[in-house]
Amino acid sequence: MPNAFNFSASPFDCLTPDQQRLVRDSVDVVYYPEGEAILDVGTAPTHLFVIIKGFVTQYDGDEVITTYGPDDTFDGRGLVAGKTSNKFVAQEEVVAYQLARKTVTDLIASNATFGALLFSDLSNKLTALSQRQSQHELQSLTLSRVDEAFVRPAHFVDMGADVLSVVKVLQAQRTKCVLVRDRSSTPERLGVFTASTLQRAILNGTPLAQQKVGDLANFQLIAVRPSDQVGDALALLQRHRVHRLVVMDDNRVVGVLEALDLFSFLSNHSHLITVQVEAATDIEGLAQAAAQITRMVTTLYRSGTRVSLIARLVQDLNARLFERAWQLIAPADLVANSCLFVMGSEGRGEQLLKTDQDNGLVLRDGYTPPDNLEAICQSFSQALAAFGYPECPGHIMVNNPMWRKTSYDFGQMVKHWLLMPDANSLMNLAIFLDAHAVCGDAHLLQDAQQVLMRFATDNDAMLARFAAAIDAFGNSQGWWNRLLGLDDQQGLHLKKEGIFPLVHGVRSLALAEHLQETSTTARIDALVLKNVITPALGADLTQSLHFLMGLKLKAGVTEMETQREVSGLVNVAKLSTLERDLLKDALGVVKHFKALLRSRFKLDAL
């Protein structure tokens, strides 16, 4: 056998040296001319094939299922099952390796990962993939500089100040410690008074106004420089058993590094960003926190964190960010008598990198908003744009009067969408179905959503027109060609080819069942419980969605790192063989799901 067998291609990249030797000793090279059937339906395969050159098309009857290219493997499932369920035809001249069934079964018996990657379902393949991802992010974070973590501003008091006045400083500045100056010594000494020290002051029994902060402060401070590594700072915290470090640049105090903030920096940054959001007193301060969200997403993805968890963290952080921005811009009376909500991927909790704004505002019936409500909403939209969330091309934002109404008017608009289901109404309905409250009185949004469910009748014609949008984007009939680079397109648009039809298909079934869940995964779980879809299909849909989201995120992160605009396209030439295999499986799940939807909603009759 030639020495050129590619052991870096899936599933052979998980083999041990002895197992690789077994492959080399057992494999042969075969040739098939263009148009020849390599395997036919019902035949008992005797070999596993690995393509060296050319392309092989898999057919189910007359329907093309997928196409395999160089380094792809087929038909592992047929080999294990003992019978081929599809037909495999050489699309052009094919040169391939063939590996005998006995060798394959020996490899499966000795290497569970090989077996999972070869013929298991999508869920098991993704599990195998996650177990093999690199976990080097923590090491890189410990090598970061201290000033890349969240260094809190320092607040100073004189050692002669009374404890009661210092407590007022702690409350006003939203901090847990102040630095205490002892100007009587040369050079000047610095100490720290913390919330923990306050407990001792209270237990003294002496009124706080009569106690001097200098008598309670700890003047044994541990300092680090801004240029020190985070790992060194962590070691100092542990060695001295302290909860904070003073960051010093020569003799100048830069700030205070809290242990909790440092641990957050080393884990997932979410606590750090939350602290920044809550501590912000102006839009500029919030912008700094918003800039950290994309970094957090990149860090979590690089460290192998599940995409579903990243999306939940992003949804929570964005909600806090939008809530704080609205509180800073809108008067308290408006905040209390309205509900700010988000829609789209943000509403479903499936946003990873920043996307277009999709938001609205429900006003309490009978409430008279400020005269400058339009200017307030415009300021909010501009603030989000400054945070990196572009304006929605369709103008689905609070600065559009259509998405800024009283509770009653929202209910009337929703009824109109349902009773007069033209193209625009159905689009607005789909957007609103994903609405999620982020600030104010959430009951106001819930009232409008209840109107939707109350009037969402079992109108088959309306539901069919609504579900028909699964075919609104892309050209799904040729995705395998783009996946293999067999046409002129530069990349595969995962949202159009996979994510949107999956998400909207699930949304359509949820509307038909009057489900009130907003996230796609929650809708899938509810549909399984109602026996609308099978548990197996539900699991495949969830896994496919998360895999496609992860692949889209990977492509977006790569584009950002190379200073390119995030396009939503995946460069299929740069996918590993395993990723390409998983992508075929995921898009295959979407294709099967779309066929189910066409039958359920009778879309072929439209």
Side-chain angles (χ1 to χ4, degrees), residues 287-308:
Q288 295 175 12
Q292 296 297 320
I293 295 178
T294 299
R295 175 188 168 92
M296 183 201 76
V297 171
T298 303
T299 297
L300 291 176
Y301 177 73
R302 295 294 191 203
S303 67
T305 304
R306 299 190 317 274
V307 167
S308 57

Side-chain angles (χ1 to χ4, degrees), residues 512-533:
E513 298 296 326
H514 297 197
L515 299 179
Q516 297 190 23
E517 287 80 3
T518 55
S519 78
T520 303
T521 53
R523 286 168 173 164
I524 290 171
D525 291 342
L527 291 169
V528 170
L529 287 175
K530 297 192 70 168
N531 296 317
V532 177
I533 59 176

Side-chain angles (χ1 to χ4, degrees), residues 342-350 428-436 449 452-453 466 499-534 537-539 541-542 545-546 593:
V342 293
M343 297 170 284
S345 60
E346 182 65 50
R348 296 192 305 273
E350 294 161 13
N428 292 330
L429 179 61
I431 294 168
F432 187 70
L433 277 169
D434 299 337
H436 176 74
Q449 291 172 322
L452 191 159
M453 290 302 163
F466 184 79
I499 296 176
F500 176 81
L502 191 160
V503 167
H504 187 69
V506 171
R507 183 164 47 205
S508 300
L509 291 175
L511 177 61
E513 298 296 326
H514 297 197
L515 299 179
Q516 297 190 23
E517 287 80 3
T518 55
S519 78
T520 303
T521 53
R523 286 168 173 164
I524 290 171
D525 291 342
L527 291 169
V528 170
L529 287 175
K530 297 192 70 168
N531 296 317
V532 177
I533 59 176
T534 65
L537 177 58
L541 289 173
T542 299
L545 173 63
H546 291 159
F593 183 49

Side-chain angles (χ1 to χ4, degrees), residues 38-46 59-60 75 78 81-88 101:
I38 301 173
L39 292 171
D40 212 336
V41 177
T43 59
T46 58
Y59 291 91
D60 182 5
D75 173 38
K83 185 174 66 174
T84 300
S85 56
N86 296 125
K87 186 175 183 179
F88 295 82
R101 178 202 293 243

Side-chain angles (χ1 to χ4, degrees), residues 187-494:
E188 177 182 285
R189 284 197 311 161
L190 275 180
V192 61
F193 181 90
T194 70
S196 298
T197 315
L198 176 60
Q199 297 176 9
R200 295 195 349 246
I202 295 172
L203 293 174
N204 281 342
T206 304
L208 297 182
Q210 297 177 19
Q211 297 186 59
K212 301 301 181 184
V213 70
D215 297 333
L216 296 162
N218 174 18
F219 287 91
Q220 302 296 318
L221 298 184
I222 309 300
V224 291
R225 293 168 299 187
S227 58
D228 287 345
Q229 291 181 353
V230 165
D232 293 334
L234 180 62
L236 281 175
L237 287 170
Q238 294 174 335
R239 184 181 310 128
H240 294 279
R241 298 183 181 181
V242 294
H243 298 290
R244 57 189 53 82
L245 302 170
V246 179
V247 182
M248 302 281 295
D249 188 2
D250 294 328
N251 294 321
R252 182 178 66 88
V253 175
V254 176
V256 177
L257 179 63
E258 297 275 357
L260 188 59
D261 297 335
L262 181 57
F263 294 148
S264 174
F265 180 81
L266 291 172
S267 57
N268 60 35
H269 292 230
S270 61
H271 170 75
L272 164 65
I273 299 170
T274 299
V275 170
Q276 289 179 295
V277 168
E278 294 178 349
T281 57
D282 52 33
I283 296 300
E284 289 72 21
L286 283 179
Q288 295 175 12
Q292 296 297 320
I293 295 178
T294 299
R295 175 188 168 92
M296 183 201 76
V297 171
T298 303
T299 297
L300 291 176
Y301 177 73
R302 295 294 191 203
S303 67
T305 304
R306 299 190 317 274
V307 167
S308 57
L309 175 57
I310 300 175
R312 286 201 301 272
L313 288 172
V314 170
Q315 182 183 40
D316 181 62
L317 290 172
N318 281 345
R320 290 173 183 264
L321 180 71
F322 299 163
E323 177 184 33
R324 186 63 181 145
W326 183 242
Q327 290 171 342
L328 290 172
I329 292 171
D333 186 56
L334 175 58
V335 173
N337 287 281
S338 65
C339 178
L340 178 72
F341 62 92
V342 293
M343 297 170 284
S345 60
E346 182 65 50
R348 296 192 305 273
E350 294 161 13
Q351 184 186 112
L352 295 168
L353 299 177
K354 293 182 175 71
T355 56
D356 298 342
Q357 298 180 39
D358 283 313
N359 47 56
L361 186 70
V362 184
L363 299 167
R364 194 182 306 279
D365 290 335
Y367 168 69
T368 302
D371 293 337
N372 62 338
L373 176 62
E374 182 176 353
I376 292 171
C377 292
Q378 184 63 40
S379 295
F380 179 75
S381 297
Q382 290 173 349
L384 295 196
F387 296 163
Y389 302 88
E391 290 197 357
C392 173
H395 210 50
I396 303 170
M397 301 182 294
V398 295
N399 61 359
N400 180 354
M402 175 181 170
W403 293 98
R404 186 179 72 238
K405 296 178 181 292
T406 64
S407 180
Y408 174 80
D409 288 340
F410 249 111
Q412 292 298 110
M413 183 168 65
V414 167
K415 283 195 288 185
H416 173 78
W417 294 340
L418 291 165
L419 299 176
M420 303 289 290
D422 57 24
N424 287 333
S425 295
L426 292 176
M427 179 191 69
N428 292 330
L429 179 61
I431 294 168
F432 187 70
L433 277 169
D434 299 337
H436 176 74
V438 295
C439 186
D441 187 350
H443 292 96
L444 297 174
L445 175 62
Q446 292 170 5
D447 291 344
Q449 291 172 322
Q450 287 173 1
V451 170
L452 191 159
M453 290 302 163
R454 191 162 59 247
F455 283 88
T457 60
D458 298 326
N459 185 323
D460 291 341
M462 186 275 288
L463 290 172
R465 292 189 64 190
F466 184 79
I470 59 173
D471 293 320
F473 298 113
N475 178 17
S476 60
Q477 296 302 312
W479 59 258
W480 56 86
N481 286 334
R482 288 193 290 285
L483 190 135
L484 291 169
L486 298 181
D487 65 7
D488 295 332
Q489 294 202 25
Q490 296 300 309
L492 188 70
H493 201 298
L494 289 183

Side-chain angles (χ1 to χ4, degrees), residues 105-134:
T105 55
D106 287 347
L107 291 172
I108 292 172
S110 60
N111 191 317
T113 301
F114 177 82
L117 295 175
L118 181 63
F119 65 89
S120 289
D121 56 22
L122 181 64
S123 177
N124 286 330
K125 286 183 178 180
L126 288 173
T127 299
L129 175 63
S130 66
Q131 290 173 346
R132 297 164 59 203
Q133 288 180 328
S134 175

Side-chain angles (χ1 to χ4, degrees), residues 77 80 455 564:
R77 295 184 182 182
V80 173
F455 283 88
R564 289 179 292 161

